[in-house]
Amino acid sequence: MSEENIEADPSCCASCGVAEIDDIKLKECSDCDLVRYCSDVCQKEHTSQHEEACKKRTAELREELLFKQPESSHLGDCPICMMPLPLDRQKTGTWTCCFKIICKGCAYANGLREREEKLQHSCPFCRKPVASPEQGDKQTMNRIAANDPVAMRRKGTQQYKKGDYDGALEYYTRAAKLGDLDAKYELACMYEFGKGVEKDRVKVVHYLEEAAIGGHPIARHRLGLIEWDNGNNERAVKHCIIAANLGDDDSIKALMEAFRSGRVSKDDLASALRAHQAAVDATKSPQREALEEFVRRKGLRK
């Protein structure tokens, strides 16, 4: 069998040609899905022959991953009502006792229950009493010690607001390594504006892409703006459509503007508008609507 045929046959080691039988198990190239090897030695020996094709395929896989539509936003569902969390952060809250992100509809319903039953004000999720600022700081550090990425990101934001950019960078980086997508977005912002770090366009795009792949609509929208600035209309439109499908208002506005200037087709805009409305409707619940009505009656915000 020729070397070309060996590389095309997934049942054989791309280097030595041994077949996957009995106790011989093959593993894929660590970077692409084109070839398989029987050992690390074979993979190393085959590097020079496979390198060019590997780089090309790795780039293709990255593009496929980058432009794949996430099933939901990175926020996921409220752990109480199990409905998608709204993208508007004013409509969600985080308690330092458990660091669960909870919709304010559930928090509002919990507050009504506490008043009716004359109960102590507590976390809607874990029912622990609401902490004082000092207790909250202690709880935050306890959660950080337990490797809670949400607590790390919150601490990073606290340090950032104080002007302690080194501290913010440390906590954001730790949270990002544990998979927190908001932390990755914050790192992108730090490298874009040079807060505590040197401005680095490559790292900005890297962290935005990492966040966008996980369903972060704001990061996705920012990537769209960058692509438009670079003159890459097709990629920009793809990013904004994906973000709009997750319910991002700014991306819908950008697509409407692009449609008016002839950069987006009528069908693509119509599809994005339907998906955007569906994503927004999915975040509605009786509890959330009750809170909105209460806010309107009280005139607490426009």
Side-chain angles (χ1 to χ4, degrees):
M1 184 180 294
S2 67
E3 289 188 4
E4 183 178 346
N5 288 334
I6 289 175
E7 289 201 17
D9 187 351
S11 65
C12 296
C13 174
S15 180
C16 68
V18 66
E20 184 176 37
I21 55 174
D22 299 331
D23 60 340
I24 298 176
K25 303 298 182 183
L26 303 181
K27 62 178 183 178
E28 285 188 349
C29 168
S30 55
D31 294 318
C32 75
D33 59 359
L34 293 177
V35 295
R36 303 169 76 199
Y37 299 102
C38 64
S39 66
D40 292 338
V41 173
C42 274
Q43 181 170 0
K44 185 176 181 180
E45 290 179 349
H46 194 247
T47 298
S48 59
Q49 300 174 55
H50 178 57
E51 187 173 14
E52 184 176 347
C54 183
K55 287 182 178 180
K56 180 181 178 181
R57 181 55 181 160
T58 299
E60 291 173 350
L61 290 172
R62 177 69 177 184
E63 284 292 285
E64 291 174 10
L65 181 63
L66 179 60
F67 288 106
K68 181 179 179 181
Q69 177 71 51
E71 294 183 1
S72 63
S73 85
H74 68 299
L75 295 174
D77 298 337
C78 171
I80 298 177
C81 64
M82 302 305 293
M83 297 190 66
L85 287 164
L87 300 184
D88 185 351
R89 290 305 179 90
Q90 291 186 343
K91 296 181 179 181
T92 62
T94 306
W95 277 254
T96 57
C97 45
C98 58
F99 274 97
K100 297 294 185 183
I101 302 174
I102 300 166
C103 77
K104 288 190 176 178
C106 285
Y108 176 67
N110 183 61
L112 292 178
R113 180 186 64 85
E114 289 173 342
R115 285 192 288 274
E116 290 174 0
E117 299 178 14
K118 297 181 180 180
L119 301 174
Q120 182 181 14
H121 189 31
S122 61
C123 169
F125 182 77
C126 69
R127 302 300 194 213
K128 290 183 179 179
V130 173
S132 66
E134 295 77 13
Q135 292 172 329
D137 289 339
K138 184 177 180 180
Q139 288 176 337
T140 298
M141 297 311 297
N142 287 338
R143 293 303 303 164
I144 289 174
N147 282 331
D148 187 325
V150 178
M152 292 176 187
R153 188 224 316 147
R154 179 188 176 102
K155 185 64 176 180
T157 299
Q158 289 177 346
Q159 299 309 111
Y160 187 94
K161 290 179 178 179
K162 294 177 182 178
D164 178 12
Y165 300 126
D166 289 340
L169 180 65
E170 176 189 350
Y171 285 111
Y172 284 152
T173 300
R174 289 174 62 186
K177 287 181 178 179
L178 291 172
D180 188 89
L181 300 179
D182 279 317
K184 293 180 180 181
Y185 177 76
E186 295 298 343
L187 286 171
C189 293
M190 291 188 74
Y191 282 106
E192 179 176 9
F193 300 111
K195 295 294 187 179
V197 294
E198 291 186 9
K199 292 184 178 181
D200 191 322
R201 189 75 167 179
V202 173
K203 288 185 178 181
V204 170
V205 173
H206 168 73
Y207 282 117
L208 287 178
E209 287 185 349
E210 288 294 301
I213 288 170
H216 198 296
I218 301 176
R220 178 73 67 176
H221 176 71
R222 291 278 299 280
L223 286 172
L225 298 183
I226 290 173
E227 293 293 359
W228 262 318
D229 287 343
N230 292 336
N232 300 322
N233 183 71
E234 183 178 353
R235 292 173 65 85
V237 170
K238 285 182 179 180
H239 281 306
C240 285
I241 287 176
I242 291 173
N245 290 347
L246 294 174
D248 183 60
D249 293 338
D250 288 336
S251 291
I252 275 292
K253 294 175 184 177
L255 289 170
M256 294 177 71
E257 180 63 30
F259 170 72
R260 286 190 284 268
S261 60
R263 292 175 291 165
V264 177
S265 71
K266 181 179 180 180
D267 288 344
D268 284 344
L269 177 60
S271 178
L273 284 167
R274 289 192 296 269
H276 173 268
Q277 189 60 53
V280 172
D281 290 343
T283 66
K284 295 179 180 179
S285 73
Q287 294 88 350
R288 297 175 192 181
E289 292 296 309
L291 174 60
E292 288 293 324
E293 178 60 28
F294 173 78
V295 169
R296 283 192 291 269
R297 288 201 317 268
K298 296 295 183 178
L300 298 179
R301 69 168 183 259
K302 294 182 181 180

